[in-house]
Amino acid sequence: MTHDSNSQRRGGFSHAGVADSRAGPARLSDKVYGVIVERILQGEYDEGHRLPSEAKLAEMNQVSRPIVRQALSRLREDGLVRSQRGAGSYVMRRPDRAMLDFAPLDSLADMQRCFEFRAALEGESARAATQYASTAAIREIEKALQRLETCIQEGELGVDADFGFHLAVANATNNRFFTDTLLSLQTQINFGQNLARNLGLRRPGLHLPEVQEEHVRIFEAIRAGDAELACQRMREHIGNSRRRVFEG
């Protein structure tokens, strides 16, 4: 199967560019994002090499330059590219191709948008938990941490335990809207956690302990009553989780 037919199967892209020009700006930027990620994975855009110019990418994908800029901005946030004023954008890393064993390429843009939303939602959840958590709620967060530690020690994936930690923080806010919103996103959140943790099991001595340390630091900030620090650590954790998806 050729590169072009792969593109059509996974994301509805054509060789000339993104498929549906009637789509809104966000969806078009998602498609450009997917095209660039796929070409990095395929080695067409190799590590250290300069991407085509914004104008060229816009022409190739039949979109406007602002759409391309949106896609490049998100790729920078993911740690895949870096931009240098006056010199263009360069590929920083090629993700582990094993990620495609766990996630179709055309799901990545939505997953990354979910991470963006979670950073905003759960940062405030951690802040509120610090202010309103009862002693019993703090104990529940600590129990969730212990379940995660057990998963690491036993080499388990731990997706349910990971979600359980974040749910325990939401429950500690004493505001059902944090809990209800998180539960409504469980399928999407578990998708991202499943991908990150499956890839993490390929390098268990580095990835999963790092994730667990971030969870511990969130818990410590909540327990200490430092609302700003708890919010910051939660947002950093989710941002790191987003970037870890693309670690090779």
Side-chain angles (χ1 to χ4, degrees):
M1 184 176 288
T2 67
H3 173 80
D4 293 341
S5 57
N6 266 326
S7 297
Q8 290 171 343
R9 177 173 57 84
R10 289 174 178 155
F13 310 134
S14 68
H15 182 70
V18 300
D20 188 356
S21 60
R22 297 167 297 176
R27 182 55 62 187
L28 288 173
S29 71
D30 285 353
K31 290 181 179 295
V32 175
Y33 171 97
V35 168
I36 296 173
V37 170
E38 179 170 20
R39 290 178 176 174
I40 292 173
L41 281 167
Q42 298 286 354
E44 183 177 341
Y45 301 152
D46 208 355
E47 288 184 17
H49 289 190
R50 185 179 183 273
L51 293 177
S53 68
E54 286 183 4
K56 183 64 175 176
L57 286 169
E59 179 186 351
M60 290 165 61
N61 293 285
Q62 299 180 351
V63 297
S64 66
R65 289 180 67 175
I67 295 295
V68 170
R69 290 190 195 107
Q70 290 177 27
L72 291 174
S73 175
R74 296 175 64 205
L75 290 162
R76 287 194 298 271
E77 292 173 7
D78 293 337
L80 290 183
V81 306
R82 63 177 177 85
S83 296
Q84 188 173 332
R85 186 180 296 275
S89 297
Y90 293 81
V91 178
M92 289 183 64
R93 70 158 61 98
R94 184 189 298 177
D96 189 337
R97 284 186 58 85
M99 69 187 301
L100 296 181
D101 294 338
F102 308 110
L105 185 69
D106 58 4
S107 68
L108 294 179
D110 277 345
M111 182 184 67
Q112 299 300 64
R113 288 198 182 277
C114 183
F115 277 122
E116 291 172 4
F117 181 71
R118 286 183 61 201
L121 172 72
E122 295 196 62
E124 293 308 308
S125 177
R127 187 197 307 275
T130 302
Q131 297 168 327
Y132 300 112
S134 65
T135 301
I138 294 291
R139 282 200 299 268
E140 288 302 312
I141 299 173
E142 189 168 21
K143 288 178 184 177
L145 270 180
Q146 292 168 351
R147 286 192 289 272
L148 276 165
E149 187 61 38
T150 298
C151 289
I152 292 173
Q153 297 303 321
E154 296 181 357
E156 297 177 359
L157 197 57
V159 170
D160 289 341
D162 196 331
F163 184 80
F165 171 81
H166 290 269
L167 186 61
V169 173
N171 288 338
T173 67
N174 199 30
N175 182 332
R176 72 176 180 85
F177 290 99
F178 281 112
T179 301
D180 289 351
T181 302
L182 201 65
L183 286 169
S184 74
L185 294 170
Q186 184 170 3
T187 299
Q188 293 90 339
I189 291 172
N190 284 352
F191 181 86
Q193 290 173 328
N194 184 67
L195 174 57
R197 285 184 167 265
N198 266 302
L199 293 172
L201 288 177
R202 297 163 60 87
R203 42 187 186 276
L206 174 64
H207 184 114
L208 297 183
E210 180 182 85
V211 174
Q212 182 68 345
E213 177 59 27
E214 291 171 10
H215 287 143
V216 169
R217 294 177 69 218
I218 293 165
F219 169 68
E220 289 175 345
I222 293 173
R223 183 173 58 182
D226 192 329
E228 290 302 320
L229 185 60
C231 177
Q232 175 189 330
R233 287 180 173 177
M234 179 65 85
R235 290 178 67 91
E236 287 175 351
H237 164 59
I238 294 174
N240 289 340
S241 296
R242 174 180 174 170
R243 286 187 291 274
R244 275 189 288 262
V245 168
F246 289 117
E247 287 179 349

